Every structure is written in C-alpha cells, then in structure tokens.
C-alpha cells in the first residue's frame, strides 16, 4: 500500500512534464499514434520477462477499455538483466515501433531501444486481468472492416494497418485482443479448441461466452462466426516447451501470461507450459452404424480424403485400410481423394496409380480376413496438372465392392481419359464411365478434375433389384493455399483459391444439372473435399447450379456436429456430400471423427471420413 501511494505521487509529477503514458502510446486504434517516435519517462511495473524483452503495465487506470495498459519492451539486454525483476517499477525512454515479420500480419506495438532511467520501486504487487471476469471477448465478428462477414467475398477490400480503425472491443474480436495487447492476463478453466501445432501452440477458450460449441467442446465455424473468442497459447516465457500431444477438448490448468501478436495471430505467451488436467473420452468416435444390406434398399457410400496416399508409406496404407474396415465398415462404394501415382512424390513422369490403389485394396482384404475385396477405378491425370505435392499427381478414385456394384454397362463401360470431357447422354447415361468433368476447363488448373461415374447393382434377383443407376461425382476442389489468417491485416481475410473454387462449383454443378434435366428423379451424389465451408460462395454456387441438397441438411445433422477438419481455432467441414432430391429420401449420414479428435502424431489423415446409406430401388 505504501509503495503505491509513493508511486501515484511520482506519476503525477512526471505527467506534469508531458511524459508519455503506456495508454497514450497504445492509443485507441490498432497503430500507436507515437509509432516511429521517441518517448521518454514511460513508467510501468514489469509484469513478465521473456527471452528478448519485458512487459510493462501502466500504473494509471482508465475506464476507457480501448486503451491497453500493457506494452512489450523489446531489448535482450533488458530481458537478460538479472537485476530487473517482475514487480520493479521502471521509468524508461525508447522508440515506439509497430513490428511485424510479414506484411500479411497485424503489427505489434512495442518500445524498442529501451534505456532505463530509474527503478522507482521493487516488488510492487500486481494482478492479472482475469479474462471472462473483467474483460471477455466477442464471439462472432473479427473486425469492423469485414462488412459483417469474415468469410465474405470479395476478400482484402481494406487493410487494418491502413484504415487503422478506432477499436470497438465489445463488438469485434481483433479490437478486443488489440485493446489488451501487452497486458498480463489469466484464463480460468481453459479448454483446447484445437490440437497443438508442431511448436506446441494450442488454441483455447476460457470461462467466457462461446458460440458454435460442439459435443467434443470444440468450436464449429458457421456463417459469419469465425470464433474470435479463441486465442492461441504459444511459447512459454520460462523457456520450456508446450507438449505437442494435446487433443481437441483437453481441459487445462489456468493459464497466466501476456497478450502479444506474432506470426499472424494475437496470442498469449504463458509464463510456463500448459498442463493438461484431463482429456475427452472416448479417444475416437465409434464405428459407423450404417451397414450395407447389399440390396438397392440399403447401399452405403463413404468419402475420405486420405492425405497424400502413397504406396511406399506402408504404415499409412495399413492405417487407412484399418479405418475403412473398422470404422467405415467397408461401404459398397468409397470415394477417396489424394491418391498419388505409383512412385509417389518422385517426379519422373509416372502418372498411373494402379499399384497404389491395389496396395490399399489388398490391405483391406487382409484386414477383413478376405471378406471384402474391393475393385477400383480412376483416370490418370496429365503429369503435373493436378496440383498438390510435386510429382505426386494426386487424383480422385473410387473403390467399389464388385459383389454389390458395378460401373453401369459392366464390361461395356467405356472409361474416359485425362483430357476428354464426359457427356450426359440420353437415358440419362454417361458417355464415359467413369469420365472427367470438362478437364480442359481453366477452372481445374493445377487441381483435381471431378471423376463422374454411374453405378448399378449386380445381380437380378428380386432381393438384388437393380433399382435406378446411381450417379456419383467425386470432387477435390483447389486448396486454400495463399490464405491470410483470420487475425491478419487483409479484411475480409484472403481465402486463397476462393474464386477458382467458385468456378469449380459452377462447372461441376452444370454437369450435374444436365443429368437432372434429363431425369429430375435421378439418383445423384456428389462427395468429396470441397476445401470450403458449406456457407461460402463456392459451395453455395455448387448447390445452386447443380440443384443438389447438402446431405447434412437433408439428414438434419446438428450444425455444430458438421465437421471433418480442424484448422487453428475452428472445427469445420471441408468435406461435403450433396444429393439429388430423390436420393435424399430416407438417406442416413454419419461423420466419423477418427482423426479430428486425435493428437497430431496419431492422425492417419488431416480429414475425417463420412458414411451415408441410401435407397436406390
Ligand atoms: C523525465 O524525468 C526526468 C527525471 O527523471 C525529468 O528530468 C525529465 O524532465 C522528464 N522528461 C519528460 C519529457 O518528462
Ligand atoms: C530517437 O532518438 C535517437 C537517439 O536515441 C535518435 O538517433 C533518433 O533520431 C530519434 N528519433 C526521432 C524520430 O526523433
Ligand atoms: C541492469 O539494470 C540496471 C538498472 O537499470 C543497470 O544499472 C545495470 O547497468 C544493468 N545491467 C546491465 C548488464 O545492463
Ligand atoms: C515481495 O512482496 C511479497 C508480498 O507481496 C513478499 O511476500 C515478498 O517477500 C517480497 N519479496 C521481496 C524480495 O521483497
Ligand atoms: C491485399 O491488398 C493489398 C492492396 O490493397 C495488397 O498489397 C496485398 O498484397 C493484398 N494481400 C494479399 C494477401 O493478397
Ligand atoms: C479378422 O480376423 C481376426 C482374427 O480372427 C478378428 O479379430 C477380426 O475381427 C477379423 N476381422 C474382420 C473384419 O472380420
Ligand atoms: C475390376 O475393374 C476392372 C476395370 O477397372 C474390370 O476389368 C474388372 O472386371 C473388375 N473386376 C470385377 C471383379 O468386377
Ligand atoms: C489456366 O491455365 C492456362 C494456361 O496454363 C491459362 O491460360 C488460363 O488463364 C488459366 N485459367 C485460369 C482460370 O486460371
């Protein structure tokens, strides 16, 4: 108490000679009004020390929540100076800088070239701001510059670093975290809403309001809600490392640290490493309950992006096969993406993938004790034209159970080639079965061309009535590479490839519309990795043009349970299944969380698979 009254006295003396306060330096916008200027007699208590600098907190309070009371002072001599400790009240001079390591990031306001004038006091007690109690983040919007939709198009209409808007911390997530930049904070009762990345950085939320909560206690992204209430916890200040084996939904001990900005995100650097109290059970979701009955009234179709699937990675081959046997329960038809050619990422002109797919079907046969021997079909790409890992020539393929299904036309089916566009003929039937949708269209540049096929049941008995053919379109739209982070400078953030994906949705949708034009009651299924959320322009365009319905909607899967992927703070659905009205009747659908729930080192693919069951009689 004595210390504080002495300090108050000193501060008022200092402010009478126009020293800059930490709150004045931060100002009420993103960029400091003092950026590029020298400041003198900046006074604050040391709240934390890191490897390259220290954090100061203003001794002045304010009711203006926009003015952060904390600041980072960059300088390794200061950081390493053993005679400066937390609780010291420093007076220092320095230069205000807005630092970022990439133009795509938001900058960190910091004081550089610090020169300590005086230590006014030692061992002043200070307390962290308790997030969720004193201050809590908004739960939906990120920035006033996003026009209400962080996932909206067009992207990059403005830059925060240029507009430098006045902070609205109650409304916008980035403004909230900016208004606490440099501050010393505590998160009570935190839980992981992602899994640690390769550095152990872990996205969390604490005891505050959240939206999009799923049953696993992650946060599912939804339209206009990108979950700004989550924050990554990065490198501990004490030089230890966070564990990398954390999982979605882990309960953690309370976290105390400093709010900072780096590598494209607001983040909290904790004083010490994260401690997991408990993890969610069961470790993976159960097997599908959707089992084929081998007749037209109950056939099953799965979809799975099996991530750079290569013949020589035998552990991966076995792991994928065991998912297909144990969790997907060997559906009649399986649409897979990211099948590499027979020598994987060796870039020597090899394009065929027959051996790669045989390795998978052989492993499935082994694991199913010979009870399931899949056949497969695919079309080789032109070398180097499908994007993905160089030399890998990833493509989409189908595995099918020849005891249940065959390509329509059986041995008379004409398989298409890498450059010829498939056509919808009278019937409707396909000219090539399977064939590619408009492979020469620029929409598919450096991307996978959709593989369209028509299937019929084998056998003719009443139990195995052939029903009507099932048309399937296996897609893998172009990647989100080139995106900027949701916390980045460009607003709305750059969603890499969004225009190309929209064009892909248009081209694939138009082909499907031709089938429906010939038969409005056709059974049509589109399944695969759209690399995009259901509510965004590419998928909406696909739905509108194709006339198909999202099977999640048709089967009324709760919106928060629609996910197949985790990225940063968001559980999300990049993989979708769309059906024609007729095929949707009585359909069932399940997402199998065999990867999203696991620690990074334990995953088989970055995507979860799904299984659906249909009546095609
Ligand atoms: C900074 O504080 C010193 C005393 O430590 C004082 O002499 C000087 O005038 C102050 N400068 C400003 C700009 O306030
Ligand atoms: C800040 O101070 C340094 C000396 O410490 C001086 O070289 C520099 O020109 C000053 N910068 C400004 C913007 O006044
Ligand atoms: C550490 O800080 C104290 C107080 O400002 C100063 O007197 C001393 O010179 C510093 N030591 C080093 C090695 O910079
Ligand atoms: C610092 O203050 C705390 C009480 O706030 C006291 O327990 C501790 O002994 C003090 N440390 C030093 C080095 O004075
Ligand atoms: C966003 O637009 C600015 C021009 O306003 C441009 O300089 C910048 O490169 C763009 N960012 C990205 C990631 O495309
Ligand atoms: C295959 O055989 C093993 C050993 O008998 C058994 O544990 C396993 O459940 C069988 N798997 C299938 C899919 O039948
Ligand atoms: C497997 O597919 C190939 C063509 O891709 C075909 O020639 C063969 O007859 C099929 N085998 C069975 C058992 O259906
Ligand atoms: C696709 O690539 C070709 C040549 O490689 C180019 O002319 C065309 O503009 C590209 N189309 C799109 C949509 O990027």
């Amino acid at each position: 108490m004595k210390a504080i009254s002495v300090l108050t006295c000193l501060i008022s003396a200092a402010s009478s000679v126009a020293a800059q306060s930490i709150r004045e330096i931060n100002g009420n916008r993103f960029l400091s009004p003092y950026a590029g200027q020298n400041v003198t007699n900046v006074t604050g208590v040391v709240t934390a020390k890191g490897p390259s600098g220290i954090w100061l907190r203003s001794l002045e309070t304010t009711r203006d929540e926009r003015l952060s009371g904390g600041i980072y002072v960059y300088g390794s001599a200061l950081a390493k100076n053993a005679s400066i400790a937390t609780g010291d009240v420093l007076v220092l001079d320095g230069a205000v800088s807005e630092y970022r390591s990439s133009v795509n990031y938001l900058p960190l306001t910091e004081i550089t070239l610090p020169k300590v004038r005086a230590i006014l006091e030692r061992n002043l007690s200070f307390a962290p701001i308790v997030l969720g109690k004193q201050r809590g983040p908004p739960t939906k919007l990120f920035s006033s510059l996003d026009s209400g939709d962080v996932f909206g198009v067009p992207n990059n209409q403005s830059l925060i670093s240029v507009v430098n808007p006045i902070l609205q911390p109650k409304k916008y997530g980035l403004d909230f975290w900016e208004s606490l930049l440099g501050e010393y904070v505590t998160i009570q009762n935190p839980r992981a809403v992602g899994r640690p990345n390769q550095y152990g950085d872990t996205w969390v939320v604490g005891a505050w309001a959240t939206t999009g909560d799923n049953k696993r206690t992650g946060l599912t992204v939804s339209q206009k809600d990108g979950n700004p209430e989550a924050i990554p916890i990065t490198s501990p200040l004490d030089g230890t490392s966070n564990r990398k084996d954390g999982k979605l939904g882990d309960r953690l001990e309370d976290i105390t640290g400093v709010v900072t900005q780096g590598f494209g995100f607001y983040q909290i650097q904790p004083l010490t490493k994260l401690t997991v109290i408990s993890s969610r059970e069961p470790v993976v979701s159960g097997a599908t309950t959707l089992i084929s009955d081998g007749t037209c009234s109950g056939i099953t179709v799965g979809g799975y992006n099996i991530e750079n699937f290569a013949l020589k990675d035998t552990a991966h081959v076995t792991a994928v096969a065991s998912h297909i046997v144990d969790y997907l329960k060997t559906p009649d038809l399986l649409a897979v993406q990211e099948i590499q050619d027979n020598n994987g990422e060796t870039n020597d002109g090899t394009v065929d993938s027959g051996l790669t797919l045989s390795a998978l079907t052989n492993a499935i046969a082994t694991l199913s004790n010979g009870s399931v021997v899949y056949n497969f079909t695919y079309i080789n790409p032109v070398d180097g034209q499908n994007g993905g890992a160089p030399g890998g020539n990833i493509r989409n393929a189908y595995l099918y159970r020849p005891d249940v299904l065959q390509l329509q036309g059986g041995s008379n089916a004409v398989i298409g080639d890498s450059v010829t566009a498939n056509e919808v003929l009278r019937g409707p039937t396909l000219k090539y079965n399977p064939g590619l949708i408009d492979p020469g269209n620029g929409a598919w540049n450096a991307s996978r061309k959709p593989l369209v096929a028509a299937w019929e049941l084998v056998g003719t008995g009443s139990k195995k009535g052939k029903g009507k053919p099932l048309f399937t379109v296996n897609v893998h739209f172009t990647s989100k590479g080139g995106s900027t982070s949701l916390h980045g400078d460009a607003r709305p953030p750059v969603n890499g490839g969004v225009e190309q994906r929209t064009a892909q949705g248009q081209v694939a949708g138009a082909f499907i519309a031709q089938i429906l034009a010939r038969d409005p009651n056709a059974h049509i299924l589109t399944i695969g990795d759209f690399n995009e959320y259901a509510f965004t322009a590419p998928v909406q365009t696909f739905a509108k043009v194709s006339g198909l319905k999202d099977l999640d909607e048709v089967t009324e899967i709760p919106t928060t349970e629609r996910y197949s992927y985790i990225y940063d703070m968001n559980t999300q659905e990049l993989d979708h299944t769309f059906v024609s009205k007729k095929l949707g009747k009585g359909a069932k659908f399940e997402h199998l969380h065999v990867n999203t729930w696991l620690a990074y080192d334990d995953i088989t693919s970055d995507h979860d698979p799904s299984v659906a069951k249909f009546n095609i009689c």
Side-chain angles (χ1 to χ4, degrees), residues 151-419:
F151 304 114
V153 284
N155 303 155
N156 196 11
Q157 295 301 285
S158 58
L159 299 168
I160 287 179
S161 63
V162 171
V163 179
N164 195 22
I166 291 180
L167 302 180
Q168 299 180 65
K170 285 195 162 51
K171 208 164 170 190
Y172 300 111
L174 300 186
D175 304 46
F176 173 82
W177 296 111
E178 178 72 26
S179 77
L180 288 167
L181 198 57
E183 263 294 5
Y184 180 68
V185 300
T186 283
I187 300 177
Q188 295 178 332
N189 196 18
R191 69 178 200 260
V193 294
R195 59 173 153 237
N197 65 12
Q198 73 260 45
Y199 309 107
D201 300 349
T202 306
W203 286 84
V204 306
V205 296
W208 57 73
T210 53
T211 54
D213 301 60
N214 55 48
K215 287 186 196 151
R216 196 68 176 178
T217 70
L219 300 179
T220 303
V221 68
S222 65
Q223 186 160 32
K224 300 183 184 179
D225 182 355
N227 295 316
E229 65 267 43
I231 186 89
I233 310 300
T234 62
S235 308
L237 293 175
D238 64 2
T240 57
S241 298
N242 286 323
R243 51 199 279 174
K244 300 181 181 88
D245 60 352
K247 297 186 280 297
L248 176 67
D250 279 354
R251 292 271 161 197
L252 304 163
E253 280 183 4
D254 289 0
I255 300 162
T256 296
V258 288
V259 180
T260 183
Q261 161 71 244
F263 304 105
F265 296 101
Y266 290 97
Q267 53 188 268
I268 291 174
Q269 275 193 269
L271 300 184
T272 188
K273 64 182 173 189
L274 299 178
T275 305
V276 175
I277 298 171
S278 63
S279 294
R280 310 268 318 170
E281 301 280 345
V283 174
V284 291
S285 68
T288 185
T289 63
L290 304 178
I291 311 295
S292 172
D293 64 11
T295 77
C296 63
S297 64
I299 68 144
T300 53
V301 182
Y304 198 2
N305 178 330
I306 52 178
E307 200 183 6
N308 283 323
F309 190 84
L311 171 60
K312 63 172 175 259
D313 187 349
T314 50
H316 189 217
V317 172
T318 305
V320 169
S322 103
H323 275 175
I324 292 167
V325 172
D326 297 333
Y327 292 92
L328 283 73
K329 297 289 177 189
T330 51
D332 299 320
L333 179 64
L334 183 59
V336 285
Q337 297 90 42
E338 296 202 11
I339 307 303
Q340 292 193 344
D341 62 39
N342 290 336
N343 64 9
E345 290 167 34
T346 304
N347 201 353
D348 65 353
T350 300
V351 291
D352 191 56
S353 63
L355 298 177
T356 310
L357 286 161
S358 294
L360 179 57
T361 55
N362 289 341
I364 292 168
T366 302
L367 291 174
S368 67
N369 302 327
S371 65
V372 180
V373 182
Y374 276 107
N375 206 342
F376 53 80
T377 186
Y378 62 97
I379 293 177
N380 292 326
V382 177
D383 186 39
Q385 296 303 300
N386 266 11
N393 285 313
I394 54 169
R395 86 289 313 269
N396 309 337
Y398 294 104
L399 309 191
Y400 62 97
R401 294 182 58 157
D403 51 329
V404 180
L405 290 172
Q406 64 180 10
L407 287 162
Q408 189 183 22
S411 52
N412 295 323
V414 181
I415 298 179
D417 63 35
S418 50
V419 295

Side-chain angles (χ1 to χ4, degrees), residues 415-596:
I415 298 179
D417 63 35
S418 50
V419 295
T420 309
N422 209 350
E423 290 172 38
V424 180
L425 307 178
R426 268 186 13 193
T429 58
L430 298 175
K431 182 167 182 187
Y432 302 107
N433 193 20
L436 299 178
I437 295 179
D438 203 0
N441 193 307
W444 308 114
N445 277 5
S447 179
R448 286 61 56 182
K449 289 71 179 160
L451 184 64
V452 54
W455 305 93
E456 60 191 7
L457 289 177
V458 298
T460 49
S462 58
K463 186 154 180 271
K464 289 200 172 185
K466 283 200 180 190
K468 286 175 69 167
L470 172 66
F471 293 91
T472 61
V473 181
N474 183 350
V475 299
H476 184 191
F477 285 5
T478 196
S479 87
K480 282 177 173 292
S483 294
T484 57
S485 83
L486 296 184
H487 288 196
D489 196 10
R491 311 312 303 179
V494 173
N495 178 4
V498 67
E499 282 161 19
Q500 188 176 351
R501 282 191 296 281
T502 302
Q504 294 180 340
Q506 174 78 40
V507 176
F511 186 90
I512 291 159
Q514 288 180 52
I515 304 174
L516 277 180
R518 290 191 183 269
D519 178 6
N521 287 318
H523 294 133
I524 311 175
L525 172 72
T526 300
I527 189 164
D529 177 3
F530 285 69
N531 263 314
E532 197 57 273
Y533 316 137
F535 47 82
T536 56
V539 184
Q540 293 285 304
T541 299
F542 171 78
K544 190 162 171 243
V545 175
S546 69
L548 301 187
K549 303 281 176 234
D550 186 340
L551 190 56
D552 280 313
E553 293 284 336
V554 173
T555 57
E556 298 178 350
I557 290 183
T559 52
T560 51
E561 302 309 318
R562 299 175 188 176
Y563 63 89
S564 60
Y565 203 86
I566 304 187
Y567 193 76
D568 293 336
M569 68 292 244
N570 286 322
T571 38
Q572 54 189 252
E573 192 172 39
L574 300 179
D575 307 87
H576 305 278
T577 301
F578 278 81
V579 294
S580 58
K581 201 171 163 198
K582 179 81 184 340
L583 187 63
K585 290 228 167 73
K588 298 193 169 70
F589 194 31
E590 290 177 354
H591 300 299
L592 305 174
H593 303 301
V594 295
N595 294 309
T596 49

